[in-house]
């Protein structure tokens, strides 16, 4: 394993992904009925932004580090994200979810790599509603679907280390959607070659009916670093597109970013 999220935690792409996650979970909490969150590629859950990895890339400084001075009023999801992530060690997606869930809700966080899974277990130990599985997220996810609660969100955020990761991810999303068509799916992807990213989105959308949207964000990054990333959201909650448009309008100047949001209504 080469990929370590500690080098990238809190960067521009993490910021957008995590605000979207907060918006989705906030929506799910509007009803009393319990819901499930499944994080198929969860990471270690907490990242020291003052540590060597984060300082080496400087990515967090150009992401969350640029947001601390944002002046209210902020869109609610952005304000809630900053409350969770604005100070101290940076929370990864499973910790953000654990902090937002109610006693009746459940989180399953899947992480393949032993060290990361062990660290995540420690981070999530205080939350009885959260469990960590050391497993291959692609193999494990379909076995967890549909969740007993029959409502919930699925985050798929692989490291894109393997050359066939787009193909594997597209197949996994389609298979998951067949088992749980009503779930809200939040899928992260890098945009290194735009045609490849577009092909991935097209392949997923062709296999998954229903409303969907994509968000892309681009920054001017140093040579060799990721400068553009996307989110594909299947079954986005009511009002999500409008809220994310307001979030992006605040993030653009703060991160010196360009963004794009496109919807498919069905
Ligand atoms: C981009 S990071 C996850 C970041 C996390 N979702 C967040 O937002 O805080 C991807 C993680 O997936 C893990 N991973 C790699 N291959 C995996 C697989 N097949 N199944 C589950 N986890 C995997 C990596 O060890 C890494 O921790």
């Amino acid at each position: 394993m080469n990929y370590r999220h500690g080098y990238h935690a809190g960067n521009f792409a993490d910021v957008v992904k995590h605000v979207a996650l907060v918006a989705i979970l906030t929506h799910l909490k509007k009803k009393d009925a319990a819901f499930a969150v499944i994080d198929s590629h969860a990471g270690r859950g907490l990242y020291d932004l003052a540590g060597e990895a984060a300082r080496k890339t400087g990515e967090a400084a150009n992401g969350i580090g640029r947001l601390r001075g944002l002046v209210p009023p902020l869109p609610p999801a952005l304000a809630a994200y900053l409350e969770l992530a604005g100070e101290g060690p940076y929370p990864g997606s499973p910790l953000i979810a654990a902090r937002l869930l109610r006693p009746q809700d459940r989180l399953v966080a899947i992480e393949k790599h032993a060290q990361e899974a062990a660290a995540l277990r420690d981070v999530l130990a205080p939350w009885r509603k959260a469990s960590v599985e050391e497993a291959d997220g692609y193999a494990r996810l379909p076995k967890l679907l549909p969740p007993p609660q029959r409502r919930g969100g699925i985050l798929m955020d692989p490291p894109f280390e393997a050359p066939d990761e787009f193909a594997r991810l597209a197949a996994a999303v389609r298979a998951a959607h067949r088992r749980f068509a009503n779930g809200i799916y939040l899928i992260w992807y890098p945009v290194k070659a735009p045609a490849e990213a577009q092909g991935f989105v097209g392949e997923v959308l062709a296999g998954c009916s229903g409303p969907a949207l994509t968000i892309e964000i681009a920054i001017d990054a140093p040579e060799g670093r990721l400068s553009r990333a996307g989110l594909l959201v299947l079954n986005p909650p009511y009002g999500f597109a409008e809220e994310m448009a307001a979030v992006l309008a605040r993030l653009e100047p703060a991160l010196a970013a360009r963004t794009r949001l496109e919807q498919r209504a069905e």
Side-chain angles (χ1 to χ4, degrees):
M1 161 193 159
N2 292 318
Y3 184 89
R4 298 261 177 192
H5 196 61
Y7 290 96
H8 312 291
N11 71 4
F12 74 102
D14 249 16
V15 165
V16 183
K17 172 181 66 187
H18 291 155
V19 178
L21 178 64
V22 169
I24 289 169
L25 298 184
T26 304
H27 169 85
L28 283 164
K29 285 164 69 172
K30 285 182 183 161
K31 284 190 189 159
D32 287 339
F35 62 87
V37 177
I38 303 172
D39 192 341
S40 67
H41 295 72
R44 61 190 295 122
L46 196 61
Y47 302 91
D48 176 12
L49 298 187
E52 200 187 324
R55 280 190 289 114
K56 190 169 176 191
T57 62
E59 289 189 24
N62 272 325
I64 181 74
R66 286 173 169 242
L67 302 184
R68 298 207 164 107
L70 277 181
V71 178
L74 298 174
L78 181 54
Y81 161 75
L82 287 174
E83 212 162 287
L84 290 165
E87 303 292 337
Y90 187 79
S93 52
L95 182 55
I96 290 174
R99 285 178 175 164
L100 288 175
L101 296 195
R102 307 160 302 180
Q104 67 267 41
D105 306 322
R106 291 291 173 270
L107 164 68
V108 181
I110 309 165
E111 167 59 47
K112 184 175 175 189
H113 292 288
Q115 273 185 339
E116 305 294 278
L120 181 58
R121 243 181 223 117
D122 286 347
V123 165
L124 293 184
W127 281 279
R128 285 180 50 215
K129 63 201 170 195
S131 59
V132 177
E133 297 195 6
E134 185 186 324
D136 176 352
Y138 290 124
R140 187 68 187 121
L141 179 62
K143 302 197 170 78
L144 298 170
L145 299 177
Q149 299 84 352
R150 303 272 161 170
R151 60 190 299 260
I154 290 103
L155 171 62
M156 301 177 78
D157 182 22
F160 286 88
E161 277 181 312
D164 65 346
E165 192 99 62
F166 270 117
R168 265 194 104 183
L169 180 59
V173 178
R174 290 171 65 141
H177 189 265
R178 276 196 296 278
R179 298 182 68 86
F180 183 38
N182 296 335
I184 302 171
Y185 291 81
L186 175 61
I187 302 144
W188 185 90
Y189 58 91
V191 185
K192 291 175 184 163
E196 185 184 36
Q198 257 173 25
F200 162 73
V201 170
E203 194 184 334
V204 172
L205 292 182
C208 304
S209 58
L213 67 76
T214 52
I215 290 170
E216 284 196 9
I217 179 160
I219 60 164
D220 294 323
E223 186 72 26
R225 297 230 182 278
L226 185 70
S227 63
R228 190 168 156 191
L231 291 173
L232 170 57
V233 186
L234 304 180
N235 299 320
Y238 178 77
F240 178 81
E242 293 73 13
E243 172 140 43
M244 287 308 292
V247 167
L248 297 176
R250 294 303 302 268
L251 292 184
E252 277 192 0
L255 299 177
R258 284 115 21 227
T259 68
R260 192 169 61 78
L261 188 156
E262 268 175 31
Q263 293 191 69
R264 174 182 81 175
E266 242 176 60

